[in-house]
Amino acid sequence: MPRHDSHATIFSCGHPPPLLGRHGSIDILDTADPAPPLNLGGLRTTPCRPRRFAFQAGDQLLLYTDGVTETRDATGAFFSLATWAQEQLTTPPRQALNNLHHALLTYSGNNLSDDIAAIAILKTTWEHSTRTGRSVVASSTSSRA
């Protein structure tokens, strides 16, 4: 993620599409030509094409594994990450990830049946990250017991 550029580039290699939070709205960053999961890339006959997207100061990117979106409640309904993100991707990255972990545990009745991983990246200005010395990336992982 270039610090001085207002754009970033993603490749999809089998994980769900990232979510981009911007001013209270959520965009799903699907790629036009996702690659197969890692270790299956040799099956492709054409090269994977990246997706470039605007990534500006104040935007927050959420990367996650399918364990997040495949979390189910007692009735078998899947967790709605997009609905959750609508409210939560306005909070700082570490807090957003803590809130996501708590929401998944609550939704599943403390019964996560798959491993989960998530990374939240907040785009700041170069001056802000230099002045505060704060990390702008937070991550969270959990695995079933």
Side-chain angles (χ1 to χ4, degrees):
M1 305 242 165
R3 288 186 176 149
H4 300 293
D5 194 353
S6 61
H7 288 81
T9 304
I10 60 169
F11 287 89
S12 176
C13 293
H15 283 104
L19 299 181
L20 177 67
R22 175 179 290 142
H23 306 297
S25 68
I26 300 298
D27 290 327
I28 299 172
L29 298 178
D30 281 321
T31 56
D33 187 22
L38 295 175
N39 296 327
L40 297 177
L43 300 175
R44 286 188 63 91
T45 57
T46 60
C48 180
R49 288 180 280 163
R51 175 173 176 187
R52 187 167 163 83
F53 64 98
F55 192 49
Q56 302 163 349
D59 290 353
Q60 192 160 190
L61 187 65
L62 181 66
L63 309 167
Y64 55 95
T65 60
D66 62 357
V68 172
T69 53
E70 292 176 0
T71 296
R72 296 175 186 245
D73 67 8
T75 69
F78 289 112
F79 179 75
S80 177
L81 182 61
T83 300
W84 174 89
Q86 193 71 37
E87 294 180 11
Q88 296 295 321
L89 277 187
T90 58
T91 61
R94 186 166 311 280
Q95 181 181 346
L97 292 174
N98 286 341
N99 293 348
L100 176 59
H101 190 229
H102 179 73
L104 293 171
L105 287 171
T106 301
Y107 191 80
S108 68
N110 289 324
N111 187 24
L112 294 174
S113 61
D114 195 356
D115 59 313
I116 60 170
I119 299 171
I121 303 166
L122 174 65
K123 175 74 174 201
T124 62
T125 62
W126 171 250
E127 294 79 20
H128 173 78
S129 58
T130 302
R131 185 178 67 249
T132 63
R134 292 183 181 169
S135 172
V136 295
V137 177
S139 65
S140 176
T141 60
S142 179
S143 60
R144 61 190 152 151

